[in-house]
């Protein structure tokens, strides 16, 4: 067999309704469904080449050869791709992010969505979107939501076969922006993979989980009806529930900094003045300010002027994972 190569791109996503905690952490079967928007301005591009001359998998990220946990996670993922294809050949994976690494933006979603598509194609698997989403989920839960286009819901499912993401509306359906307000670009001390396993230690976890179906329904309705007030209410409530669970876990996970609080306080004050803005925070201190596109210039200027704000990156809704045509060498 000759070396076989494919390249794919994918965007990260911001969850409007969060994924936090697994029923099965090996298969990444989540405790609840979740809902997100792909972020067009940020992208991961990944090439995979299966090559019989290789004696092990190798992986470079932004031109830097990776080892340790980073390589192990990619290699374990490729094991699942090889198992699906009934093959045992190793691969070289080359990946690059168009967004600055160390900017405090999680990239596992775009990374595993692009890797799933490129590796499946390179090894000769023709997977429908649903199965590609399931495959990406095995690498990183939120990656399953970066496979379909636009506004996306991850159906939690009963088992591996039923847990995948689907498009609820295409990217052009609603002119929203995500202003990613970076207050601290450093890597967080407890990543989301470790964090998920602490969810069940919080006495608030079962209450959060019980409320998710109703919040998902509101979120779906808000997006389909382009109802920003409803979206703002449910996005902030859901983010606060996740952080309440995190803070009351054992050991507690506190991701917000003083600068996070300042941004959140202002977003709420500005909304009270009538601006269509709301905020959501993932497993880190940076704040995603979701807004109607017409608010962007006004809000961006004010966000940049807040104390502690290092940069603001702006993104429109984005497409799903796509193959990139490449010249044959
Ligand atoms: C807080 O998908 O990063 O961003 O499956 O372990 O890779 P792994 O976790 P990950 O978790 C995302 C957590 C979150 C919320 C969300 O994106 O829904």
């Amino acid at each position: 067999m000759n070396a076989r190569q494919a390249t794919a791109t994918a965007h990260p996503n911001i969850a409007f309704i969060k994924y936090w905690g697994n029923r099965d952490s090996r298969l990444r079967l989540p405790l609840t469904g979740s809902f997100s928007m792909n972020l067009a301005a940020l992208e991961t591009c990944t090439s995979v080449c299966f090559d019989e001359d290789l004696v092990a998998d190798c992986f470079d990220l932004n031109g830097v050869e990776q080892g340790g946990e980073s390589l192990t996670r990619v290699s374990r993922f490729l094991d699942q791709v090889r198992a699906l294809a009934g093959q045992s050949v190793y691969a070289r994976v080359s990946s690059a992010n168009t967004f600055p690494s160390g900017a405090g933006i999680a990239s596992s979603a775009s990374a595993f969505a692009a890797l799933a598509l490129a590796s499946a194609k390179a090894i000769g698997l023709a997977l429908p979107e649903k199965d590609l989403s399931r495959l990406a989920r095995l690498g990183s839960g939120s990656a399953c939501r970066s496979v379909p286009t636009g506004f996306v819901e991850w159906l939690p499912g009963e088992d591996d076969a039923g847990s995948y993401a689907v498009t609820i509306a295409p990217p052009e359906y609603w002119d929203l922006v995500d202003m990613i307000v970076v207050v601290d670009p450093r890597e967080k001390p407890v990543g989301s993979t470790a964090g998920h396993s602490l969810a069940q230690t919080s006495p608030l976890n079962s209450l959060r989980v019980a409320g998710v179906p109703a919040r998902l329904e509101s979120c779906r309705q808000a997006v389909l009806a382009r109802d920003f007030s409803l979206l703002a209410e449910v996005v902030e409530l859901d983010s606060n529930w996740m952080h309440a669970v995190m803070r009351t876990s054992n050991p507690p996970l506190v991701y917000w900094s003083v600068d996070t609080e300042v941004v959140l306080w202002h977003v709420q004050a500005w909304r009270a003045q009538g601006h269509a803005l709301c905020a959501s925070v993932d497993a880190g201190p940076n704040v995603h300010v979701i807004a109607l596109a017409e608010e962007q210039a006004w809000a961006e200027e004010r966000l940049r002027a807040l104390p502690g704000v290092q940069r603001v990156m702006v993104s429109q809704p984005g497409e799903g994972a796509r193959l990139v045509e490449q010249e044959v060498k």
Side-chain angles (χ1 to χ4, degrees), residues 244-264:
V245 167
M246 289 165 159
R247 282 167 182 238
T248 51
S249 293
N250 184 13
L253 289 176
V254 180
Y255 285 111
W256 298 3
S257 68
V258 174
D259 297 328
T260 311
E261 299 270 11
V262 169
V263 177
L264 293 175

Side-chain angles (χ1 to χ4, degrees), residues 13-22 25 28 34-36 73 106 108-109 112 136-145 154 188 191-196 238 242-243 246 255 281-284:
N13 61 72
I14 173 63
F16 292 172
I17 304 294
K18 306 296 189 186
Y19 151 50
W20 196 246
N22 288 304
S25 52
R28 288 187 159 83
S34 54
F35 193 110
S36 59
R73 191 164 173 185
S108 69
F112 282 97
R137 192 197 79 227
L138 299 173
S140 175
S142 55
C144 79
R145 297 189 312 239
W154 175 3
K188 53 228 180 190
S192 33
T193 303
H196 286 295
D238 193 78
M242 181 179 74
H243 287 276
M246 289 165 159
Y255 285 111
V281 186
D282 279 340

Side-chain angles (χ1 to χ4, degrees), residues 23 28-30 133-134 137 154-157 159-165:
R23 276 173 292 144
R28 288 187 159 83
L29 296 177
S133 174
R134 285 173 53 210
R137 192 197 79 227
W154 175 3
L155 312 170
D159 54 14
D160 172 54
S163 191
Y164 57 90

Side-chain angles (χ1 to χ4, degrees), residues 146-318:
S146 282
V147 171
T149 191
F151 298 88
V152 171
E153 182 169 350
W154 175 3
L155 312 170
E158 296 288 323
D159 54 14
D160 172 54
S163 191
Y164 57 90
V166 295
T167 293
I168 298 298
E172 61 280 6
Y173 187 81
W174 198 4
D175 218 358
L176 294 181
V177 288
D178 179 12
M179 289 171 276
I180 306 163
V181 182
V182 178
V183 295
D184 185 350
R186 283 174 302 182
E187 206 156 290
K188 53 228 180 190
V190 180
S192 33
T193 303
H196 286 295
S197 63
L198 294 178
Q200 316 250 28
T201 66
S202 162
L204 296 183
N205 186 54
S206 54
L207 285 174
R208 184 192 87 85
V209 166
V212 170
R215 289 198 293 281
L216 272 172
E217 175 58 28
S218 299
C219 184
R220 233 179 275 128
Q221 264 183 33
V223 168
L224 290 174
R226 301 185 188 91
D227 179 341
F228 194 84
S229 309
L230 181 59
L231 185 77
E233 194 186 307
V234 75
V235 162
E236 288 189 353
L237 181 61
D238 193 78
S239 175
N240 286 336
W241 263 113
M242 181 179 74
H243 287 276
V245 167
M246 289 165 159
R247 282 167 182 238
T248 51
S249 293
N250 184 13
L253 289 176
V254 180
Y255 285 111
W256 298 3
S257 68
V258 174
D259 297 328
T260 311
E261 299 270 11
V262 169
V263 177
L264 293 175
W265 189 92
H266 281 89
V267 168
Q268 269 162 35
W270 295 333
R271 188 160 77 256
Q273 289 166 17
H275 289 279
L277 310 165
C278 66
S280 183
V281 186
D282 279 340
N286 302 318
V287 183
H288 291 255
V289 179
I290 320 289
L292 289 182
E294 67 209 40
E295 298 280 3
Q296 182 194 327
W298 185 93
E300 204 186 328
E301 193 189 328
R302 277 155 189 83
L303 288 166
R304 285 187 200 279
L306 292 179
V309 172
Q310 301 193 6
R311 64 193 305 167
V312 177
M313 286 180 273
V314 182
S315 183
Q316 270 74 37

